[in-house]
Amino acid sequence: MKSLSDYERGWVEAFIDAECSLSFNKAQYKRAENGHRASRRGFEWLARLAATSTTEEQLLKLQSMIGGSVYGPYQYKHLSRNKPTYRYLLMGDGLRKLLPQLSLTTK
């Protein structure tokens, strides 16, 4: 991941604060082919930065700055709105490299 300019850092921090969720999930390893667990612990922690929006351009701008993936469009029939929805995800090494560059606070 490239180093962010001051403008990019500010935009990304504001977007994450307003639109994203940062979560840490405990995921169980699948068993190896020989029937043994892949790890002694049997689980790993997965960090994920996610956002959902009806404005694809915002998510593509975020993707151009910090990487990640944009998925969609998705159309949900049970919702009253007619706009398609898009999803952004950043996980793994990309997220590990991004977080030290940002000044985020907890709420």
Side-chain angles (χ1 to χ4, degrees):
M1 164 183 273
K2 66 178 181 149
S3 182
L4 297 172
S5 69
D6 289 341
Y7 168 80
E8 290 172 326
R9 186 175 13 270
W11 194 94
V12 168
E13 289 172 353
F15 191 85
I16 289 173
D17 183 47
E19 301 293 334
C20 292
S21 64
L22 180 61
S23 62
F24 298 91
N25 300 306
K26 189 176 179 179
Q28 187 170 358
Y29 283 130
K30 294 181 179 177
R31 294 195 179 269
E33 289 180 18
N34 61 5
H36 297 287
R37 286 191 178 186
S39 164
R40 287 185 188 169
R41 291 188 318 245
F43 67 89
E44 64 182 339
W45 289 100
L46 300 175
R48 177 173 56 189
L49 180 69
T52 301
S53 177
T54 58
T55 309
E56 182 183 23
E57 291 77 23
Q58 288 181 334
L59 299 180
L60 292 173
K61 182 174 181 178
L62 182 65
Q63 180 187 34
S64 73
M65 291 182 183
I66 63 174
S69 300
V70 176
Y71 302 96
Y74 301 106
Q75 193 74 39
Y76 298 103
K77 294 179 183 178
H78 67 282
L79 298 176
S80 60
R81 66 174 183 251
N82 293 328
K83 291 184 176 182
T85 302
Y86 299 88
R87 183 119 171 110
Y88 171 82
L89 286 174
L90 177 65
M91 300 169 50
D93 287 337
L95 187 54
R96 270 196 267 336
K97 292 174 183 175
L98 171 67
L99 290 178
Q101 296 187 55
L102 304 178
S103 294
L104 302 173
T105 58
T106 59
K107 295 180 184 177

